[in-house]
Amino acid sequence: MAKKQFMLLASLLLVLSVFLAACSGKKEESSTEKPADTNKETEVTTEEEEEEVEDPSAGLDFPFEVSNKAQPMEDGEMTIAMVTDTPFEGTLAPVFYSGTFDWEVISKFHENLFAVDGDYLITQDGAANWEISEDNKTITITIKDGVYWHDGEPVKASDLLYSYQLLGHPDYTGTRYTFMISNVEGMPAYHNGETTEISGITVSEDDKTISITYTEATPALMSGIWGHATPRHHVGDIMTGEVTMEELVASDKIRVNPIGFGPYKVARIVPGESVLYERYDEYWRGKPALKSLVQKTVSSASILEVMKKGEVDLAKIPVDQYENAKELDNIELLADIDTAYTYIGFKLGKWDADKKTNVTDPNAKMANKLVRQAMWYAMDNETIGKELYHGLRFPATTLIIPVFASFHDASIETPSYDPEKAKALLDEAGYVDVDGDGFRENDKGEPFVLNFASMSGGETAEPIAQFYIQNWADVGIKVQLLDGRLHEFNSFYDRVEADDPDIDIYQGAWGTGTNPDPSGLYGRDAAFNYTRYTSEKNDELLAAGTSEKSFDADYRKDIYRQWQELMVDEVPVAPTVYRYYLMGVNKRVVNYSIDPATDLYLYQMGVSE
């Protein structure tokens, strides 16, 4: 670790913590999980002391499941924290939501029709059985008996059809019209308004069975199929004109009184703050263990205090608070590598809303890939992970995360902290300091100043942003915070999604989901492709990764190796850190596990006292 970089980061943190202590009358701890990227004070050490510091990730060994093996008590009650310094948006429908906090709410009352195993492949253990045709192009799905929406109506095959009708509708403005939707036979014609039917989807007369046929056979069917039904009778039918798409997204049926067929039903929502759930006695798997469940927002600075008091039973603990969290004697910590990563994105174009595609601008400020490569080499991600996150975050390499062990290629050479290499790349690009002010001009001799958008939240968001700004300044790149400040989660993503021309680079984070196919984030027609990077080679590789040839595991692995290499070379985004996620669980909680292969389900979770 470079002493200069460590001292800079520690100094920033020290100044900020003293400022906060003066304002609040106490020293506060803070969070690092998106969107509240924050951290605790770090002491400055001497060079000799640094050499003796052990790797903070050494010896990390966390359980996946709670140790309490007691039976859940009858009619127990439980409180879950949503650790955030910003309100959740409240778009509580799978087809429309975009933020991780909305999903935390949805996941308590809603279920996918498909369950998955430890490799995130669909199984027969969900609310529907399924069968795939010999040519791997058609899946036939039959909803099991006894599966009811919270208002007592049976879940129907046409409710799953309705999700596909919404996702592919010409008026759909969400971000989930991805490959596994557009690959449905007849979907492009429906999406373009040429027909009101989706030819590849048929529903049986008894409305129990639905068949979906795809244009191209793909192994993504086993891990990427859309299985979220939408209660047509509850939210209203856009197909009959009963409601418009705009009215549907804004309706109380989604934002105030949503229904699902999960183990708990929504009893009351305080917008942006909390949700009260009640047990759904008719839940198809069986009677849920808890009588009621409360999910409430808790600030990153106060989460450990409320857990210590027993006011919250379950929370995602900011990993920068690990040292303090492990001292709490009424909780235990579970952890695993997350299906997520943090990154720096480079704005390279615009989203064409009419054509629903990304358009790369060859004249964008960040168009020179040598400059993007240099900025990646300039970032000291190892110091961030070790000193702020106790080894619970570690330098990221490629855009396919280690969780996907069959496809993540750790052998690919990727940029790591090397300021001299960064300087050499900038020199090669013709970005040199013309006027002697210590900052480089672009290859035309013009001022080169980058506006950096980053999210607020907690104590470390500002220091980390400033740390990266200093990293770039050390190699001669002048970067300044957008509008001179950090931005709240929702407004940050509003501006990033809208391709605000004032944003040149931004710091974001992706939850990848459980499908290794990256086309939903980086495809030409992916609305989530916020950098707006496109290329024919990218198109070719992403298509190959979901093609029929990719049923050959070695072929698919090679395709994704090539794609990872392409993205390392092109650098539309520079991944910064992979992450562990840390769950704090009160010791009275039973039947709870974070293991993807667990046999435990949400309805079984309870409390023993």
Side-chain angles (χ1 to χ4, degrees):
M1 177 185 66
K3 182 177 181 182
K4 176 182 177 182
Q5 297 300 324
F6 176 72
M7 291 182 67
L8 166 68
L9 188 56
S11 298
L12 286 167
L13 294 170
L14 181 60
V15 168
L16 186 60
S17 64
V18 169
F19 170 75
L20 289 171
C23 293
S24 65
K26 63 180 181 179
K27 181 177 175 180
E28 296 183 342
E29 297 296 328
S30 57
S31 160
T32 59
E33 290 305 318
K34 179 190 173 187
D37 261 333
T38 60
N39 76 303
K40 65 172 190 167
E41 177 185 343
T42 306
E43 294 182 355
V44 180
T45 62
T46 67
E47 188 169 0
E48 289 75 21
E49 289 172 329
E50 286 177 35
E51 292 175 355
E52 297 173 0
V53 174
E54 296 182 1
D55 181 350
S57 65
L60 292 177
D61 184 17
F62 294 96
F64 287 167
E65 187 173 325
V66 295
S67 59
N68 187 349
K69 302 303 180 184
Q71 290 296 312
M73 65 179 291
E74 185 74 15
D75 293 340
E77 297 178 326
M78 186 172 170
T79 299
I80 296 176
M82 183 188 301
V83 183
T84 173
D85 298 320
T86 190
F88 62 88
E89 183 182 350
T91 304
L92 304 179
V95 292
F96 297 122
Y97 90 97
S98 60
T100 182
F101 300 117
D102 281 355
W103 178 251
E104 287 191 29
V105 175
I106 293 169
S107 63
K108 308 304 182 299
F109 71 84
H110 169 83
E111 279 189 356
N112 196 311
L113 287 168
F114 304 110
V116 296
D117 62 17
D119 295 319
Y120 304 110
L121 302 177
I122 60 173
T123 72
Q124 303 288 1
D125 297 327
N129 293 319
W130 50 271
E131 183 178 356
I132 296 177
S133 62
E134 289 187 8
D135 64 1
N136 293 305
K137 286 188 175 182
T138 300
I139 183 169
T140 301
I141 303 158
T142 301
I143 298 171
K144 295 177 179 177
D145 293 335
V147 183
Y148 295 97
W149 295 108
H150 292 152
D151 61 0
E153 287 292 314
V155 176
K156 301 175 181 178
S158 56
D159 291 326
L160 182 57
L161 167 63
Y162 192 37
S163 288
Y164 283 82
Q165 290 172 328
L166 291 170
L167 292 165
H169 197 277
D171 294 338
Y172 179 67
T173 58
T175 52
R176 304 187 184 280
Y177 183 76
T178 57
F179 169 73
M180 284 305 293
I181 305 300
S182 64
N183 190 37
V184 174
E185 191 174 277
M187 185 65 78
Y190 171 75
H191 186 58
N192 293 330
E194 300 166 10
T195 177
T196 58
E197 303 290 333
I198 305 171
S199 61
I201 302 181
T202 58
V203 174
S204 63
E205 289 187 8
D206 64 1
D207 214 353
K208 292 279 289 184
T209 300
I210 180 172
S211 292
I212 304 173
T213 299
Y214 296 89
T215 302
E216 184 175 358
T218 171
L221 179 59
M222 292 296 294
S223 58
I225 182 174
W226 182 275
H228 297 285
T230 301
R232 188 192 302 260
H233 70 280
H234 175 73
V235 300
D237 194 348
I238 65 166
M239 304 304 292
T240 62
E242 179 183 352
V243 64
T244 67
M245 186 74 72
E246 184 177 6
E247 289 170 342
L248 181 56
V249 175
S251 73
D252 285 354
K253 298 296 183 67
I254 284 177
R255 296 179 176 272
V256 178
N257 56 355
I259 65 171
F261 59 90
Y264 298 96
K265 56 185 179 181
V266 174
R268 183 174 69 251
I269 294 178
V270 179
E273 295 183 13
S274 65
V275 181
L276 170 63
Y277 306 90
E278 294 177 347
R279 177 166 56 205
Y280 181 43
D281 290 325
E282 305 303 318
Y283 177 57
W284 69 276
R285 289 189 189 274
K287 181 180 177 180
L290 295 169
K291 178 182 179 181
S292 65
L293 180 66
V294 173
Q295 186 167 33
K296 63 180 182 179
T297 60
V298 178
S299 73
S300 55
S302 60
I303 184 58
L304 291 188
E305 184 63 24
V306 298
M307 292 210 80
K308 181 179 180 179
K309 294 178 179 178
E311 297 173 2
V312 164
D313 297 294
L314 182 67
K316 197 171 187 178
I317 300 293
V319 294
D320 63 338
Q321 299 187 39
Y322 167 61
E323 291 294 333
N324 290 331
K326 69 181 183 179
E327 299 301 321
L328 299 186
D329 58 12
N330 66 327
I331 72 169
E332 56 187 330
L333 299 175
L334 315 181
D336 194 10
I337 296 178
D338 205 354
T339 53
Y341 60 91
T342 308
Y343 68 96
I344 299 295
F346 303 99
K347 276 296 187 180
L348 301 173
K350 299 284 185 182
W351 172 254
D352 187 325
D354 293 331
K355 297 181 179 179
K356 298 181 180 178
T357 190
N358 293 290
V359 180
T360 301
D361 178 5
N363 298 313
K365 187 185 288 189
M366 299 307 303
N368 192 320
K369 73 177 183 180
L370 295 177
V371 177
R372 303 196 297 269
Q373 291 171 359
M375 293 185 72
W376 190 354
Y377 274 108
M379 292 186 290
D380 186 4
N381 297 314
E382 186 172 4
T383 292
I384 293 288
K386 284 185 177 180
E387 302 303 332
L388 300 188
Y389 302 131
H390 314 288
L392 291 168
R393 292 193 180 181
F394 52 100
T397 53
T398 79
L399 297 182
I400 292 183
I401 58 178
V403 169
F404 301 125
S406 297
F407 303 114
H408 171 74
D409 195 331
S411 70
I412 296 174
E413 184 177 349
T414 62
S416 57
Y417 182 53
D418 188 343
E420 295 308 312
K421 176 67 172 178
K423 292 176 184 177
L425 286 167
L426 291 167
D427 290 342
E428 181 182 349
Y431 284 60
V432 296
D433 182 7
V434 175
D435 56 16
D437 66 351
F439 293 106
R440 297 170 184 263
E441 278 68 42
N442 66 17
D443 55 350
K444 299 180 179 62
E446 302 165 341
F448 185 66
V449 181
L450 300 178
N451 286 324
F452 178 31
S454 194
M455 285 178 283
S456 62
E459 295 177 23
T460 58
E462 178 86 24
I464 289 175
Q466 294 294 346
F467 182 64
Y468 284 137
I469 288 173
Q470 185 61 52
N471 281 169
W472 294 319
D474 289 343
V475 299
I477 299 176
K478 186 173 184 178
V479 179
Q480 60 191 19
L481 286 176
L482 176 69
D483 301 331
R485 59 183 175 85
L486 301 181
H487 294 265
E488 180 269 335
F489 176 87
N490 293 315
S491 63
F492 167 86
Y493 274 108
D494 285 346
R495 294 181 71 171
V496 170
E497 289 173 4
D499 301 319
D500 188 321
D502 290 336
I503 298 176
D504 300 312
I505 61 175
Y506 63 95
Q507 180 175 215
W510 278 128
T512 63
T514 55
N515 182 3
D517 169 29
S519 61
L521 297 179
Y522 297 104
R524 184 179 294 269
D525 298 330
F528 277 140
N529 183 357
Y530 293 148
T531 69
R532 313 309 179 194
Y533 164 80
T534 61
S535 74
E536 291 184 2
K537 186 65 174 177
N538 186 48
D539 297 341
E540 173 190 324
L541 291 173
L542 290 178
T546 56
S547 69
E548 190 167 2
K549 286 184 178 180
S550 282
F551 281 102
D552 181 326
D554 290 337
Y555 174 83
R556 196 180 193 200
K557 183 175 182 178
D558 180 63
I559 287 296
Y560 283 152
R561 177 191 58 78
Q562 293 182 52
W563 183 80
Q564 289 169 86
E565 289 178 336
L566 173 69
M567 299 304 268
V568 168
D569 180 59
E570 291 289 314
V571 201
V573 308
T576 57
V577 289
Y578 300 134
R579 53 176 69 185
Y580 281 84
Y581 67 99
L582 191 66
M583 297 300 301
V585 189
N586 191 289
K587 291 180 178 178
R588 75 188 191 112
V589 174
V590 298
N591 295 339
Y592 178 75
S593 172
I594 62 171
D595 186 352
T598 184
D599 292 328
L600 294 171
Y601 293 96
L602 176 62
Y603 84 105
Q604 296 168 293
M605 182 176 67
V607 292
S608 61
E609 59 182 78

